[in-house]
Amino acid sequence: MNEEISVQSIVKTLQKRWFFILVLTMLSIGIAAMLSFFILTPIYEAETQIIVNQKSYDNQQLVGAQNVDTDLRLINTYNVIIKSPAILTKVIDKLSLTTTPERLMNQIDVSSASNSQVVNIRVRDEKESRAVEIANTVAGVFKEEIPVLMHVDNINILSVAKSSENAAAVKPNKILNILIATIVGFSLALVLAHIMETFDKTIKTERDIEEILSLPVIGVVSNIESQVGKKSKPRGNP
């Protein structure tokens, strides 16, 4: 019963406050569109891949299998090293970037699939070309420094990041932002309209009287113009 009353109240609110709900929803969509298209800075993403692979020797399949297991165990360590100041400081120096290792670290995402020797390096930046340069430089510096840091030489670059003339920004997601704004704007407008309807105790129509008193309206008195103060026009002489 409470659910039925709640649905009925929502329908009533939509019927009576539809213009208010529509205006507030459209305003929310307009704000989201303006932020997404004109204010928020586009962010581009570039990706490069490296593969962790020990050199195997002829007729040493057992050693090769052991090396693969070792590589897989070391991948988590490599993921940490890639984002470490030891690597990122050299990347900043090579590209003459005006940033710090800590800020650059926040632009980089390092991941690898389960039981995979492939490590993905994703870089996000306001400029697509700079994201490509950073991704490739991080992979290159890591390959150069890992023999010094861990005394191993098992890194190969599988694919490099490439620049594109028609690169699409990964942020902001304009369609998603507008969709979220539509849902949030409509929900907020509906809640505000329901609150306005709840606290509005004025009687505007015969139906309001029926709902308040739970009694049918059997008659309506029309507006009667007041005749007080009005004088009859004098009749003209015959």
Side-chain angles (χ1 to χ4, degrees):
M1 184 66 181
N2 292 333
E3 183 179 353
E4 181 181 354
I5 295 175
S6 176
V7 172
Q8 290 178 352
S9 64
I10 292 175
V11 173
K12 177 185 174 183
T13 301
L14 287 172
Q15 291 175 341
K16 296 184 67 174
R17 306 282 182 176
W18 67 269
F19 185 74
F20 171 80
I21 295 173
L22 178 62
V23 170
L24 197 57
T25 302
M26 294 304 295
L27 180 62
S28 178
I29 293 174
I31 293 174
M34 182 179 65
L35 290 173
S36 298
F37 284 92
F38 302 107
I39 296 180
L40 295 178
T41 303
I43 301 297
Y44 298 90
E45 184 178 87
E47 179 180 356
T48 184
Q49 293 180 320
I50 59 176
I51 185 169
V52 179
N53 186 22
Q54 293 271 7
K55 293 181 179 180
S56 60
Y57 300 92
D58 296 336
N59 300 323
Q60 290 187 353
Q61 295 181 356
L62 180 60
V63 174
Q66 292 176 346
N67 286 340
V68 170
D69 291 338
T70 301
D71 293 337
L72 291 175
R73 287 195 298 269
L74 287 175
I75 280 181
N76 289 334
T77 303
Y78 294 155
N79 292 351
V80 175
I81 293 176
I82 290 173
K83 298 179 66 173
S84 67
I87 303 298
L88 299 185
T89 300
K90 293 184 180 297
V91 172
I92 292 173
D93 292 339
K94 280 194 171 187
L95 298 178
S96 300
L97 300 176
T98 57
T99 186
T100 62
E102 291 75 17
R103 290 170 57 187
L104 184 58
M105 185 188 306
N106 295 328
Q107 296 179 235
I108 300 174
D109 178 61
V110 182
S111 62
S112 57
S114 178
N115 296 326
S116 172
Q117 293 174 261
V118 177
V119 177
N120 302 308
I121 302 174
R122 296 184 181 90
V123 178
R124 292 187 174 185
D125 195 87
E126 297 176 2
K127 294 183 178 180
E128 191 260 348
S129 59
R130 188 164 60 196
V132 170
E133 289 181 346
I134 293 174
N136 290 331
T137 305
V138 167
V141 171
F142 176 70
K143 182 179 178 181
E144 294 172 0
E145 295 298 320
I146 198 64
V148 178
L149 295 173
M150 297 191 65
H151 304 289
V152 294
D153 185 12
N154 61 342
I155 304 298
N156 291 299
I157 297 177
L158 186 63
S159 66
V160 297
K162 296 180 180 179
S163 183
S164 174
E165 294 181 359
N166 300 319
V170 295
K171 285 185 177 182
N173 190 328
K174 301 179 179 65
I175 302 300
L176 180 60
N177 288 348
I178 292 175
L179 179 61
I180 293 175
T182 302
I183 297 173
V184 173
F186 177 78
S187 302
L188 179 61
L190 186 60
V191 170
L192 292 177
H194 185 70
I195 293 174
M196 293 168 61
E197 192 66 24
T198 301
F199 287 95
D200 186 5
K201 302 300 182 181
T202 59
I203 298 176
K204 299 181 179 65
T205 64
E206 296 85 359
R207 187 171 181 178
D208 292 338
I209 299 175
E210 291 180 344
E211 292 179 354
I212 294 174
L213 300 178
S214 299
L215 295 174
V217 175
I218 59 176
V220 178
V221 178
S222 303
N223 292 332
I224 301 176
E225 294 184 2
S226 177
Q227 300 294 328
V228 178
K230 290 187 177 181
K231 295 180 179 181
S232 60
K233 295 182 179 179
R235 296 181 180 176
N237 294 328

